């Protein structure tokens, strides 16, 4: 082997070793950071109804909050909550500002390109709601109407008739109405505030999670559900690709909470 060949082989060997080291270092990057700081940083919402919202003491409460605390406890660290907004969570450009995202994200194929959905922790219905004074009596009455949705949500995809239910056991999606305009909002609560102004004032209806709609109605919003649920979907803890060790730990935490009945108890509680 001549000198050039030796040099080339050495360079190739070094490059391969460097790549292997890089992948190895990256593989546990998030988990290492969480354990080193002894803190799990969790992105949640302040107005997601029973999922997560501010209570009378201006403290975060909800199903997602309790689940996140359970994950942190399993990892042996403290939890820290940040509230970036759903649109930022769904965009996937986290830049290490948080470690996991809550919000019961539907694990679609498109989202799976940037997120790891190894931990399913809830099943949610999607519903259409209208103002209580609306003359709509069936879903087809929303044809040509202005429908509000949370930006980046599965509800937005559904309202645009571009939703692909590609999780295990998914049933074909039916579209009983075609919106005239789909109006995205930073959060569902802002859309709810617009709908409560009156039938057709800014919106004719909203597509959202059943738990959010139910909580809004219980809180006094002048709204009513329209027709049967649009679909039922699984919800996952949102984790960026790149750290299988961290993803595995979160998945194990959810499994532990499911096995000991914690998830069931929290679901009933909230």
């Amino acid at each position: 082997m001549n000198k050039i060949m030796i040099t080339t082989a050495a360079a190739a060997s070094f490059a391969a070793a460097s790549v292997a080291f890089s992948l190895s270092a990256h593989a546990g990057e998030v988990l290492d950071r969480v354990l080193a700081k002894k803190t799990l940083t969790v992105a949640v919402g302040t107005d997601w109804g029973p999922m997560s919202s501010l209570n009378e003491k201006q403290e975060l409460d909800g199903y997602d909050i309790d689940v996140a605390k359970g994950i942190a406890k399993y990892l042996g660290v403290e939890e820290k909550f940040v509230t970036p907004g759903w649109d930022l969570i769904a965009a996937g450009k986290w830049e290490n500002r948080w470690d996991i995202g809550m919000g019961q994200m539907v694990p679609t194929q498109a989202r799976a390109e940037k997120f790891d959905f190894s931990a399913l922790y809830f099943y949610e219905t999607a519903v259409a709601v209208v103002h209580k004074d609306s003359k709509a009596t069936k879903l087809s009455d929303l044809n040509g109407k202005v429908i509000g949705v949370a930006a980046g949500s599965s509800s937005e995809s559904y309202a645009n008739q571009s939703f692909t239910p590609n999780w295990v056991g998914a049933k074909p999606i039916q579209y009983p109405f075609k919106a005239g305009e789909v109006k995205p909002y930073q959060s569902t609560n802002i859309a709810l505030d617009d709908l409560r102004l009156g039938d057709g004032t800014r919106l004719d209806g909203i597509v959202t999670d059943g738990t959010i709609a139910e909580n809004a109605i219980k809180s006094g919003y002048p709204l009513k559900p329209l027709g049967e649920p649009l679909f039922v979907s699984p919800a996952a803890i949102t984790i960026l690709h790149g750290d299988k060790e961290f993803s595995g730990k979160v998945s194990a935490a959810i499994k532990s909470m499911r096995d000991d009945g914690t998830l069931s108890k929290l679901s009933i509680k909230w």
Side-chain angles (χ1 to χ4, degrees):
M1 183 181 293
N2 61 35
K3 185 176 181 180
I4 294 177
M5 291 177 65
I6 293 174
T7 302
T8 302
S13 177
F14 176 77
S18 296
V19 170
F21 176 78
S22 176
L23 291 174
S24 175
H26 185 63
E29 178 183 352
V30 180
L31 181 59
D32 288 347
R33 182 176 68 244
V34 169
L35 295 180
K37 293 184 177 181
K38 296 185 178 180
T39 303
L40 178 71
T41 305
V42 185
V44 298
T46 59
D47 57 358
W48 294 351
M51 283 189 289
S52 64
S53 56
L54 294 174
N55 60 25
E56 296 178 352
K57 298 180 180 180
Q58 294 301 296
E59 299 171 337
L60 285 164
D61 262 342
Y63 179 78
D64 279 10
I65 302 302
D66 284 349
V67 170
K69 289 179 178 179
I71 296 172
K73 182 179 180 181
Y74 182 89
L75 295 175
V77 300
E78 297 295 321
E79 69 278 352
K80 174 185 176 183
F81 296 107
V82 295
T83 56
W86 175 257
D87 53 342
L88 295 178
I89 295 173
K93 297 179 181 179
W94 296 2
E95 299 177 350
N96 297 330
R97 290 173 292 179
W98 53 87
D99 307 309
I100 63 174
M102 305 301 286
Q104 301 178 5
M105 183 179 285
V106 178
T108 63
Q109 189 62 42
R111 287 171 171 166
E113 293 179 3
K114 53 188 172 184
F115 296 119
D116 185 340
F117 294 123
S118 62
L120 299 178
Y121 73 119
F122 193 74
Y123 283 84
E124 179 64 278
T125 60
V127 299
V129 294
V130 295
H131 193 274
K132 68 178 183 62
D133 294 334
S134 173
K135 295 180 180 179
T137 59
K138 55 187 181 300
L139 290 167
S140 60
D141 290 335
L142 295 179
N143 282 327
K145 301 296 186 178
V146 181
I147 305 299
V149 295
S153 67
S154 57
S155 296
E156 181 180 21
S157 297
Y158 181 90
N160 282 311
Q161 298 195 351
S162 61
F163 184 55
T164 303
N166 49 15
W167 55 87
V168 176
K171 296 180 180 180
I173 290 292
Q174 302 295 321
Y175 296 106
F177 68 90
K178 183 175 179 59
E181 178 188 349
V182 178
K183 191 173 181 180
Y185 288 81
Q186 184 179 3
S187 76
T188 303
N189 268 33
I190 300 175
L192 288 168
D193 285 338
D194 271 4
L195 183 58
R196 77 188 298 184
L197 295 177
D199 180 37
T201 300
R202 292 183 179 174
L203 293 173
D204 298 300
I206 291 175
V207 174
T208 187
D209 294 342
T211 51
I212 292 178
E214 182 180 359
N215 186 68
I217 293 171
K218 286 182 178 179
S219 298
Y221 279 63
L223 311 176
K224 61 182 180 181
L226 186 64
E228 296 295 320
L230 303 173
F231 60 89
V232 179
S233 60
I237 304 292
T238 310
I239 306 170
L240 290 180
H241 285 310
D243 190 337
K244 291 183 179 180
E245 291 182 62
F246 178 63
S247 180
K249 289 289 186 182
V250 174
S251 180
I254 293 299
K255 182 180 185 303
S256 175
M257 295 172 72
R258 182 180 295 112
D259 290 346
D260 68 12
T262 298
L263 287 184
S264 179
K265 292 177 182 178
L266 292 178
S267 180
I268 295 172
K269 173 183 176 181
W270 293 108

